Structure formats: C-alpha cells, structure tokens
Amino acid sequence: MANYYSANVSVLLNGGLGTFADAVNYSVGNNPHSVAAADLDGDGASDLAVANSDSVNVSVLLNLNGTAEIAHFLELIPDAFALHQSYPNPFNPVSTIRYDLPQGSDVSLIVYDILGREMARLVDGYLEPGYHQSQWNGRNSQGRELPSGIYIARLCCASPDRPGLVTPPTAGQKAPEYSKSIKMVLLK
C-alpha cells in the first residue's frame, strides 16, 4: 500500500492461508503515486515498483522468499531540455509550469508582463536533472496580485560551469544553453 502523503510503502506479505502479515514500511521517496506488482526479477514471486509523483525515481521492492527489500532506484532523466505550456491556461488563481532538465543546471524561471518587466522570479538556482514543475499564483515578487492580462514565463538553463548565464543575456553576453518562453493568460 502506498500513502501519497508520506514517503513510505507498507508491504503486506501473504502467509499463504489468506492472512497477511505487515512487513516493514519502506521509504521510497516523496509522494508515492502509483504501485505496480509484477515478477520483476524473474523468480516467480510478485515484486513491487513504486513511482513517485514529484521525483524522478521509481523504487523497486523485491519479494525474496517471503521478505521484501529495496533493490534499487531507477532514475528517470529526460533526453532534452523542455519547457511545457502551463496549465490551466487561461488561469485563476494558480497555473503550473512544467520543465525538463537532462543535466544538473543553473536555472531561472521568470514571469514577465507584456512590456518585458520582471513580475516574479519562480526559480533562481541550481536544480538536479529530472522533471520539475513550479506554480505561479498571479502575484508579483512583492506578493501583490497582478491584473488580468498576458504574461510571459521564460526558462533559461546553463551548466554550472558557465556561471551567470541563466538570466537573459545583455549585449555582448553569451546566450544560455537553453532558453524558451511561453505565454500565460491570467483571468480575474
């Protein structure tokens, strides 16, 4: 059994007589999202795979002669940088922005108004490779509600060995490794 609000999966072992014994709770990461049972190691016994909703890990618990143990974590890493369209869009009051990082990167995710003025800085720092998401609540960096309108979210990524390249470049600067913008519509 997986509990979405904890980092544990409880493994119940079938005693063969229709009774189940509670095995140990296994820590599998944040917010277990789905659990699949299958013979993952080819020994004829059902094993478990647990996918976490806010992580790039899949935990595998092997059933070994009636005992369960964590075998390994599989890391799911995207193949390329990507910024996905926010959802919902149009939105009120919150929109989610998903983005993919194939390598550890210095990242900035900034929301601008239609005139190009910075409204909110959602991410500004190093992130591990994987699938990420941030939410924007329609407020500026000072916490004030912004009016209905069109806003631009821009993701810039650079390798840690290229410091200072995660903000949009000014004249004479090199461009970041990845940069993409999306349009967001805030409705009140």
Side-chain angles (χ1 to χ4, degrees), residues 40-117:
L40 300 173
D41 58 359
D43 68 355
S46 292
D47 306 306
L48 297 176
V50 182
N52 300 317
S53 64
D54 64 349
S55 173
V56 296
N57 292 325
V58 174
S59 303
V60 177
L61 294 98
L62 297 178
N63 180 355
L64 303 172
N65 299 321
T67 63
E69 70 179 54
I70 293 181
H72 56 280
F73 291 97
L74 304 174
E75 287 196 69
L76 305 175
I77 305 295
D79 293 331
F81 287 102
L83 173 63
H84 304 281
Q85 182 58 54
S86 60
Y87 64 91
N89 191 30
F91 73 97
N92 181 10
V94 175
S95 189
T96 300
I97 305 165
R98 294 182 310 110
Y99 47 99
D100 308 340
L101 305 176
Q103 63 191 35
S105 303
D106 287 323
V107 176
S108 70
L109 179 58
I110 303 173
V111 177
Y112 298 92
D113 68 8
I114 201 68
L115 299 175
R117 297 176 296 195

Side-chain angles (χ1 to χ4, degrees), residues 11 17-18 20 25 27 41 69 82-83 131 153 158 170 183:
V11 178
L17 302 172
F20 291 87
N25 286 326
S27 176
D41 58 359
E69 70 179 54
L83 173 63
Y131 299 94
T170 57
K183 181 171 61 172

